Amino acid sequence: MKKLLFVSVSLSVFTVTSLSVSAQLKFLSFKDMNRYAEETISKSSILHNVNLQNVYYAASKISNNLLAPSNMATELCNTIQFRYAQILNRDVENLTNLSLFNFIDEWWATKYRYGGTSKKGVDCSSFTGKLMQEVFGFTMPRTARMQYAICTKLQKDNMLEGDLVFFNTTGGVSHVGVYLGDGYFVHSSCSRGVTISNLNETYYSKKFIAGGRPNITEYLAAETL
């Protein structure tokens, strides 16, 4: 009986501790992750040739791994994870970037408004700019064309979660969203507001231009012009 009581108490302590650590990890600053990745690269003789434009993606990966619920019981995953796992047709355990999906959920169904920058109405490039800043710690130019200009262009097969996706909807680069993986992307749609769509949908497959990964070097060059 004493052994059973000890096991029960131990499990309770472990569960509370896990939840406490997980809650603390949610408040880790992405800038701290970015700084950690940059310091790691600078100190490593093996990685000394790594392009710094990939630093923020490395930091994002570190952050995501720390927040990954792969070692937690599925029942500990929050309702937002369950919701977006269904939308993305993905296992709950594979939705590791909690800050990304919390951000999407906060803005979900916000109506589209050209030139809008708030939850009263937001356009596509303002939405991507806010997401990239808040989730990944990267400041983006204001318009879709300017965002496209500072990106390294990517084919669909090479895109990762957090990359941008660009479309020609009204001539040239005129629409942008943020890639979520498996063809899905989040964006501020003219018809549905902030929502998730898929690149394989007929409309978007015809309008798709390219994926884009923000290039720090290109951005800094544009800033000096």
Side-chain angles (χ1 to χ4, degrees):
M1 184 65 181
K2 289 183 179 179
K3 289 184 179 180
L4 181 60
L5 177 61
F6 175 77
V7 171
S8 177
V9 171
S10 298
L11 287 174
S12 298
V13 171
F14 175 76
T15 302
V16 171
T17 302
S18 298
L19 289 172
S20 176
V21 171
S22 299
Q24 291 176 21
L25 287 174
K26 290 182 181 180
F27 295 98
L28 284 174
S29 167
F30 181 85
K31 292 181 179 178
D32 291 338
M33 298 298 176
N34 193 16
R35 187 161 50 249
Y36 172 79
E38 192 166 7
E39 289 173 357
T40 300
I41 289 172
S42 65
K43 292 178 181 177
S44 172
S45 59
I46 298 175
L47 298 176
H48 72 279
N49 289 321
V50 172
N51 191 326
L52 284 180
Q53 75 182 68
N54 295 321
V55 167
Y56 110 81
Y57 286 97
S60 173
K61 190 65 176 177
I62 293 169
S63 175
N64 292 348
N65 286 341
L66 286 173
L67 294 174
S70 58
N71 295 323
M72 296 189 295
T74 300
E75 51 267 31
L76 293 180
C77 296
N78 61 37
T79 56
I80 289 177
Q81 285 174 286
F82 279 107
R83 175 182 180 182
Y84 290 97
Q86 290 183 326
I87 293 175
L88 301 176
N89 192 28
R90 193 178 299 173
D91 291 337
V92 173
E93 294 83 358
N94 292 333
L95 267 67
T96 59
N97 194 337
L98 301 183
S99 61
L100 171 61
F101 291 99
N102 281 329
F103 180 91
I104 293 172
D105 204 63
E106 288 176 5
W107 284 81
W108 187 262
T110 297
K111 67 180 181 180
Y112 176 90
R113 186 174 72 185
Y114 181 75
T117 60
S118 71
K119 290 180 181 177
K120 293 181 179 180
V122 66
D123 64 22
C124 62
S125 57
S126 177
F127 175 74
T128 57
K130 290 179 183 297
L131 186 154
M132 296 300 284
Q133 174 65 52
E134 187 166 324
V135 177
F136 296 104
F138 193 81
T139 302
M140 299 294 294
R142 175 63 180 87
T143 68
R145 291 187 182 185
M146 293 172 68
Q147 292 176 6
Y148 181 79
I150 61 106
C151 283
T152 299
K153 309 310 181 289
L154 303 167
Q155 298 295 322
K156 288 182 181 180
D157 293 341
N158 296 325
M159 294 190 306
L160 301 173
E161 181 182 276
D163 287 331
L164 300 181
V165 285
F166 297 95
F167 304 89
N168 178 353
T169 56
T170 60
V173 179
S174 49
H175 189 63
V176 60
V178 177
Y179 193 62
L180 302 175
D182 301 319
Y184 292 98
F185 64 99
V186 62
H187 61 135
S188 181
S189 160
C190 291
S191 58
R192 293 186 290 167
V194 174
T195 189
I196 290 174
S197 302
N198 196 291
L199 294 174
N200 294 322
E201 294 175 29
T202 301
Y203 177 79
Y204 293 109
S205 65
K206 291 180 178 179
K207 302 294 184 179
F208 179 75
I209 297 175
R213 185 164 299 161
N215 184 316
I216 292 176
T217 303
E218 292 291 334
Y219 178 72
L220 293 177
E223 284 285 278
T224 60
L225 295 179

